[in-house]
Amino acid sequence: SRLEETVKKTITDNPVVVYSKTWCSYSSEVKSLFNRLRVQPLVVELDQMGAQGPQLQKVLERLTGQHTVPNVFIGGKHIGGCTDTVKLHRKGELEALLAEAKNT
Amino acid sequence: SRLEETVKKTITDNPVVVYSKTWCSYSSEVKSLFNRLRVQPLVVELDQMGAQGPQLQKVLERLTGQHTVPNVFIGGKHIGGCTDTVKLHRKGELEALLAEAKNT
Ligand SMILES: N[C@@H](CCC(=O)N[C@@H](CS)C(=O)NCC(=O)O)C(=O)O
Ligand SMILES: N[C@@H](CCC(=O)N[C@@H](CS)C(=O)NCC(=O)O)C(=O)O
Ligand code: FES
């Protein structure tokens, strides 16, 4: 679908993408982790785009199997949610993924 | 209002009360903290009670100044949200509040 193509293009064209909801604390937590790492993700606030929000969430669920927010992509790869991203950071693996994504 | 009286009665009659939303991870986090402390809070899921949910949230905002979930009460006292409850636990103050609430 057109929306699916948009999502695929967004995650390919931007090193880090976070699909979020403005009022969700887990979404805020993952955004502030990237801030601390001096990374400027592309943030798409699903609750600020009217009817397209839920449609986008359905596309994300089809593409990733994940219907929850935050939904994080790095270097075009699906990372998962907040806990997944924080775990990678704790293991020191997030920085390598970010460095690799920046150079592509 | 009638709803305000209900909330006041609920927080007086139950040692620990958590106003929550089923799909919110911060609400789940505070519920699982109480679980780990072998405390059985009264949990009120605001998204499972139809139109009463948002009305209850307005009452909670009037009574506590807090419109967000989770909204935690111990021994009739307003504690705050997830981060507030976790902070008290880290400082070792949550157990004392819980012990005091149980005996009232
Ligand atoms: N472990 C996941 C949890 C994600 C999650 O449950 N997100 C909630 C909001 S905090 C959500 O999207 N809930 C909607 C639903 O469950 O339908 C993460 O860290 O991102
Ligand atoms: N620091 C607060 C954050 C509470 C919070 O922002 N809750 C969100 C859901 S995770 C909420 O109720 N958002 C609704 C809103 O902001 O209007 C806590 O730990 O409870
Ligand atoms: S909605 Fe509460 S943490 Fe996401």
Side-chain angles (χ1 to χ4, degrees), chain B residues 4-24:
Chain B
E4 207 162 298
E5 290 321 312
T6 320
V7 171
K8 285 183 181 156
K9 185 168 162 44
T10 304
I11 60 182
T12 329
D13 290 355
N14 296 280
V16 186
V17 183
V18 177
Y19 291 93
S20 162
K21 286 185 184 165
T22 54
W23 39 261
C24 163

Side-chain angles (χ1 to χ4, degrees), chain A residues 37-52:
Chain A
L37 299 173
R38 314 236 176 283
V39 169
Q40 298 289 337
L42 176 80
V43 176
V44 180
E45 298 290 3
L46 294 170
D47 62 316
Q48 302 286 304
M49 45 200 309
Q52 257 211 332

